[in-house]
Amino acid sequence: LSYLASIIATRDARSLFDLMSTADHELKNKGYSSKIYHLYNEILLNSNEEFDGILKNLIARFFRFLSLRYDLNAEKALENRFGGCVYYLDSSYIIRLLGFDGPIRQKRAVDLLKILQGINGVQFVIHASSLQETQAKINERINQSKKILRLSTETSERLFCSVEDKYNSVLKIYLDLKNEGRVAGVADFALYYKDIKKIVMRLIPDVTVDNKYIDNRDNARQDLLKALTTTDKSSKRIKHIVNLIAYIDKLRGGNNYNVSDIKIWLLT
């Protein structure tokens, strides 16, 4: 943080690697390369005014977050801001929560859930279509990973760091469950994730399922459709998220642009 603060005003030319290696030896033990630090250093030193503005904003928000975290009245502030809100859980969030997008993203999803669960009056909802999409996506990833999963445990562990991320995540979940004695093999593993609804309800006991029909004939969502087509999302994923956002917008009453008054949110 001190380094980031200094480069905003002075463009300090010290090597970020030198600074970080003396400040935190653990990072070196975790396999971070000096090239990474030098790369970040070059990006920062050659940044433009727009980048500097973003960096200042990030640091300001980080300190604002810390002030909230260590504020004696933080609990009350969180309840005033987020209490009484309804949170729809999108399929992408559930997939991260279950670990199918890697341990780092899973930790973020779990931490967010814990924060929200600690606030009075918060309600969790998942739409039936999101459950179906989650189930289909997890089934697809497990099926695509079966060849790797069928290898011996020793070989699987050796391959763990060399396979693609999406397969790596499935492999990690499989090995963890196998080591815990909760699954015996690949078929057992696929059966374990056959009913995502039950798993979600174990993690979030008070979650409710919204089975109402989502109308996809609203012309107002065309701008969002066009914007999402520029991303790497699949056409099915784009259609689902657009329909879900439009559905939640109707639940809000529409045209509600005061953030403090919005009571229905989508976690995606």
Side-chain angles (χ1 to χ4, degrees):
L1 283 173
S2 62
Y3 178 80
L4 292 175
S6 69
I7 62 103
I8 287 176
T10 63
R11 296 290 182 89
D12 192 333
R14 285 178 299 165
S15 164
L16 181 59
F17 171 68
D18 293 338
L19 188 75
M20 294 295 289
S21 62
T22 54
D24 190 354
H25 294 290
E26 284 189 18
L27 288 173
K28 294 175 79 175
N29 296 330
K30 290 177 182 176
Y32 288 90
S33 164
S34 62
K35 292 180 181 178
I36 294 174
Y37 296 126
H38 286 300
L39 178 62
Y40 280 126
N41 198 48
E42 286 302 311
I43 291 172
L44 296 174
L45 291 173
N46 297 301
S47 64
N48 55 25
E49 191 175 333
E50 183 184 5
F51 180 88
D52 290 348
I54 294 171
L55 189 58
K56 287 178 184 178
N57 204 336
L58 285 172
I59 291 176
R61 287 177 181 275
F62 180 79
F63 279 104
R64 204 172 301 157
F65 169 75
L66 283 181
S67 68
L68 175 64
R69 190 175 178 85
Y70 295 103
D71 186 353
L72 295 175
N73 299 314
E75 227 172 90
K76 186 177 179 181
L78 283 171
E79 285 184 17
N80 288 339
R81 175 66 185 82
F82 300 104
C85 289
V86 176
Y87 290 93
Y88 272 75
L89 310 177
D90 184 36
S91 52
S92 63
Y93 176 78
I94 296 298
I95 287 169
R96 289 199 306 276
L97 191 66
L98 298 181
F100 282 88
D101 265 343
I104 295 176
R105 287 187 169 188
Q106 182 182 27
K107 185 180 185 307
R108 291 180 194 157
V110 170
D111 288 346
L112 177 58
L113 180 63
K114 285 180 180 177
I115 290 171
L116 292 174
Q117 285 178 323
I119 301 171
N120 289 328
V122 166
Q123 299 175 57
F124 297 102
V125 182
I126 184 168
H127 196 273
S129 61
S130 292
L131 277 175
Q132 291 169 6
E133 190 180 56
T134 305
Q135 186 72 67
K137 184 60 69 176
I138 287 177
N139 288 347
E140 179 187 353
R141 292 192 185 183
I142 290 174
N143 288 333
Q144 289 174 339
S145 305
K146 279 185 177 178
K147 285 185 179 179
I148 294 175
L149 299 182
R150 287 197 179 102
L151 298 172
S152 67
T153 303
E154 184 180 337
T155 307
S156 297
E157 288 175 345
R158 191 169 66 249
L159 286 172
F160 177 70
C161 294
S162 62
V163 294
E164 263 184 82
D165 286 346
K166 62 180 178 181
Y167 302 124
N168 200 338
S169 301
V170 177
L171 181 57
K172 182 183 186 310
I173 294 169
Y174 174 67
L175 291 174
D176 287 347
L177 289 175
K178 199 172 182 182
N179 290 334
E180 292 168 11
R182 297 165 79 177
V183 300
V186 179
D188 201 18
F189 177 60
L191 189 63
Y192 184 89
Y193 284 101
K194 201 68 178 174
D195 190 344
I196 290 300
K197 180 181 175 181
K198 285 185 179 179
I199 295 176
V200 171
M201 295 195 83
R202 281 204 302 267
L203 290 171
I204 316 170
D206 55 347
V207 69
T208 58
V209 178
D210 184 346
N211 288 294
K212 291 177 184 174
Y213 173 70
I214 292 182
D215 183 12
N216 60 4
R217 295 172 296 177
D218 185 1
N219 292 328
R221 68 194 73 185
Q222 290 306 312
D223 287 343
L224 187 55
L225 264 172
K226 288 177 183 176
L228 287 175
T229 53
T230 63
T231 68
D232 60 356
K233 300 180 189 300
S234 68
S235 58
K236 285 185 179 179
R237 174 69 184 145
I238 290 171
K239 183 179 178 182
H240 171 74
I241 196 69
V242 169
N243 289 341
L244 193 57
I245 289 171
Y247 175 73
I248 290 173
D249 190 48
K250 285 183 179 178
L251 294 180
R252 290 172 170 175
N255 298 322
N256 187 351
Y257 298 114
N258 188 338
V259 175
S260 300
D261 294 335
I262 296 175
K263 295 299 180 185
I264 302 176
W265 293 87
L266 175 65
L267 293 185
T268 185

